[in-house]
Amino acid sequence: MNQKIIYYPKDGKPTVIANEWQVWDGERDEGGIPDLEHGFHKVLVPFHWWITHHKNADVAGRAGKGEIGVWFAADDDILKHPEIIEEGKSLWPVVGAHFPIFRDGRSFSTAALLRDRFEWQGEVRAIGDVIIDQLLQGARVGFDAFELRPDQNLEIALKQFDLFSVVTQNSWRDQRATIA
Amino acid sequence: MYKYDHIDQTLVDQRVTQFRDQVERRLNGTLAEEEFRPLRLQNGLYHQRHAYMLRVAIPYGLLSAKQLRTLAFIADKYDRGYGHFTTRQNIQFNWVELEQTPDILAELAKVEMHAIQTSGNCIRNITSDAFAGVAADEYVDPRPICELLRQWSTLHPEFAHLPRKFKFAINGAKEDRTVLLCHDVGIELQKNPSINHGELTANIYAGGGMGRTPILGSLIKQNVPWQVLPSYLTALLRVYNRFGRRDNIYKARIKILVKALGPEEFARQVEGEWAQLHNATKQGKDNFTQAEWERVAKHFTKPNYKILSVLSDEQLQSHAQSKLDANEKIAFTRWLERNVKPHQVPGYACVILSLKPHGTAAPGDATSAQMNAIADLADQYSFGELRVTHEQNLVLADVEQAELLNLWRAAKNYNLVLPNIGLLTDLIACPGGDFCSLANAKSLPIAKAIQERFDDLDYLHDLGDISLNISGCINSCGHHHVGNIGVLGVDKDGEEWYQITLGGDQGNDASIGKVIGPSFYANEIPDVMISIINTYVEQRSTDEPFIETYRRLGVIPFKEAAYKNNGKHSKGAAV
């Protein structure tokens, strides 16, 4: 995992901040959330794991304290679970959308749907194989936080967001430019 | 033609800056080749057999003389003095250096050109009818919609990493010259007084494609008002982005998704997504506006045509009689017949410059000298503009009929007036194994051998319209599936073989050709062609074109003729 993330709120500037959320892959599931790495107490759990475990006392308790969010796999069809996602709006401070490999663009549509269809206001974080040259697209479709792959240079990453001063289609972050 | 405004120019300039930085990171080792690959592809840069190849977009086929001169300059300065016009309204440079590509892109940006999304798993260069705006059979000029969608699709963030490449074609004429049904999305434009207040609407076809699984697109939506195309196409692409297969590159195109779901179910899913994107609360914020239409459409007004009277072919020929010797007369008459097409405006004609000399250059290739000459011809005879066709030729779309003879003479000096448009030797071919890393077999020597074998213009003219398309591999860049005669290079045990298909066609009766049987050695192909053509000549009725004869008789007589002498060479099993 990366100890730092880029946080880029919709109407703000991109900055590097400490990462407070550990992503749990759902492996080694012994019925509950495993011990987190030292210093971490907030966790993103797999969406499907949440569906089957969110009533567990341990999970519900921690969710009540704002310590649990979910992450969507690239092949999760979030439109099949609208009620759970609606409920999640008041439960999950952060949701993640996963890139199994940087060139798999499904999570771009997931982020777009969260913002556009569910009017998701909370943080949507890109996780997994996230590299510098996806940031611009990610920021436009709906991501406002990025946990980059640890080998990526954060200084170069921060420079990506203002490469283009014009866009020619609408997205979550900006309307297309038109000559008045 | 369209002129960039501040927005367009800023975007291509900034794109060059972005790519320059990516190339630098690639060269200094901080960006791995695997991660650089999609980035370079989305800037038109392939890594080929001998060198890098750069594919430059010629959006919906329109070029200015000034742009063509820049292409000639790039060919001289950064390449080996020539470029290759492709079947999808791009030009390719085959010998560029990675380090120099940002500079090439900067040169292109100076003349409102780019290589954005000419490759990669994204929305590719949008293609259309090379005769848009001048064709006599046009219902609707497709160019404003082409341009609006070019802008909409350029650097679209949600669709930057689709399962596979995604190609649009847009047509607004009675005859389809865009191979509409072989595209991921085909958009057919129309105007109907009873729909959308008589304004432009679109019929949307999806799931066409060539490659390993050739399929013609299905009609999935009718009468989409032009204003809502962004939200409808977003819905369509979103369904594909989410559910198109990513586990197998050969099954990743939208055609496989449409086939797996069925066109009705696919259409239903798109409709469901569209309803959400386009509901009342969104107030159509994605819609194209009238102001945007006008901003774009003002560039596609008619040029300053003169009031002229129509000249008949007889008048044109008799006008030329006194100025030409006997041989020239025949050549000019043939050229009028094959290379000159009717125009919407009286006294004007469209001229196709053939880039298909018999065996002396690869189909679609033009030297920098030819490009500069064609740019001059465009300035002198056709309002400084030209177009690129699906068949890899160039068009001067607005030539005064009275100037045809002068144009013919001038173009003749550059070997651009071979009167073979639409004939057997006006063949389409991909660069094939000579250049392409994907190819199983060479295309160009086959093209050359066929052109040399059929070098008799009298005979070619007598044969009439026949399309011959050659691909060096199953990716089908030579569009062999829709050639009346298709040739496909295949690899068998490390040897190059060629499979023949018959009965393909483009246009309104588009069809996919059928394989006639086992494949042939390269050196057998010219004889096989002769056998197929002879069968046609023997069997045709008066004025019956090849494709009609084939459809009437079926494959058997052609197949028998093709294998009569060659069967002993060909291997026993079809590939």
Side-chain angles (χ1 to χ4, degrees), chain A residues 39-105:
Chain A
F40 280 86
H41 55 275
K42 296 179 180 177
V43 62
L44 295 180
V45 301
F47 180 55
H48 272 282
W49 191 89
W50 170 271
I51 292 172
T52 50
H53 293 77
H54 68 277
K55 290 197 168 73
N56 298 7
D58 164 45
V59 178
R62 287 176 73 171
K65 289 191 281 183
E67 293 176 355
I68 293 190
V70 300
W71 62 269
F72 303 105
D75 56 1
D76 280 340
D77 184 355
I78 61 171
L79 297 181
K80 286 210 167 94
H81 306 280
E83 304 82 8
I84 296 174
I85 291 180
E86 282 300 330
E87 283 168 20
K89 283 182 179 178
S90 57
L91 284 167
W92 306 321
V94 171
V95 292
H98 181 253
F99 290 85
I101 186 157
F102 70 95
R103 57 174 188 275
D104 182 335

Side-chain angles (χ1 to χ4, degrees), chain B residues 105-314:
Chain B
L105 295 175
E107 294 287 354
L108 289 168
K110 284 183 205 164
V111 292
E112 306 180 7
M113 293 186 84
H114 61 71
I116 297 169
Q117 292 170 210
T118 54
S119 177
N121 296 336
C122 55
I123 303 170
R124 299 286 189 87
N125 182 36
I126 291 174
T127 55
S128 187
D129 181 0
F131 298 92
V134 296
D137 66 340
E138 188 170 81
Y139 304 126
V140 177
D141 185 343
R143 294 172 301 171
I145 291 292
C146 290
E147 178 55 31
L148 284 168
L149 288 176
R150 180 192 76 83
Q151 294 178 21
W152 169 82
S153 62
T154 298
L155 307 188
H156 197 300
E158 188 179 344
F159 307 129
H161 291 291
L162 295 168
R164 199 77 175 78
K165 57 189 169 184
F166 202 93
K167 298 173 179 177
F168 279 73
I170 304 178
N171 183 42
K174 182 170 173 231
E175 181 65 30
D176 171 32
R177 287 173 287 266
T178 67
V179 214
L180 194 85
L181 294 180
C182 288
H183 281 76
D184 299 279
V185 161
I187 299 176
E188 198 173 40
L189 300 173
Q190 71 218 347
K191 276 184 181 170
N192 181 329
S194 61
I195 304 165
N196 197 28
H197 317 292
E199 286 192 62
L200 200 59
T201 55
N203 290 340
I204 310 285
Y205 294 83
M210 303 205 206
R212 191 166 300 258
T213 318
I215 303 178
L216 298 176
S218 309
L219 180 62
I220 61 153
K221 178 83 178 167
Q222 282 181 286
N223 306 324
V224 180
W226 67 270
Q227 296 92 330
V228 303
L229 281 170
S231 55
Y232 188 80
L233 294 170
T234 297
L236 186 151
L237 274 143
R238 186 172 284 172
V239 171
Y240 171 57
N241 191 42
R242 297 178 71 222
F243 301 113
R245 287 184 58 177
R246 291 174 184 262
D247 58 324
N248 178 341
I249 191 172
Y250 301 116
K251 299 198 186 304
R253 293 287 289 270
I254 196 176
K255 62 190 176 188
I256 304 293
L257 179 67
V258 173
K259 197 175 167 193
L261 294 173
E264 300 76 16
E265 173 59 17
F266 176 76
R268 197 190 61 76
Q269 291 190 16
V270 173
E271 201 67 24
E273 185 62 43
W274 187 49
Q276 293 285 343
L277 279 168
H278 191 62
N279 65 26
T281 59
K282 306 243 187 333
Q283 294 167 0
K285 66 178 170 51
D286 292 338
N287 289 5
F288 289 137
T289 63
Q290 196 60 36
E292 286 176 303
W293 173 274
E294 281 157 17
R295 176 170 66 83
V296 165
K298 69 171 188 256
H299 296 290
F300 300 111
T301 50
K302 302 293 181 199
N304 202 1
Y305 292 122
K306 297 176 187 166
I307 308 291
L308 301 170
S309 49
V310 177
L311 299 175
S312 66
D313 279 358
E314 291 70 30

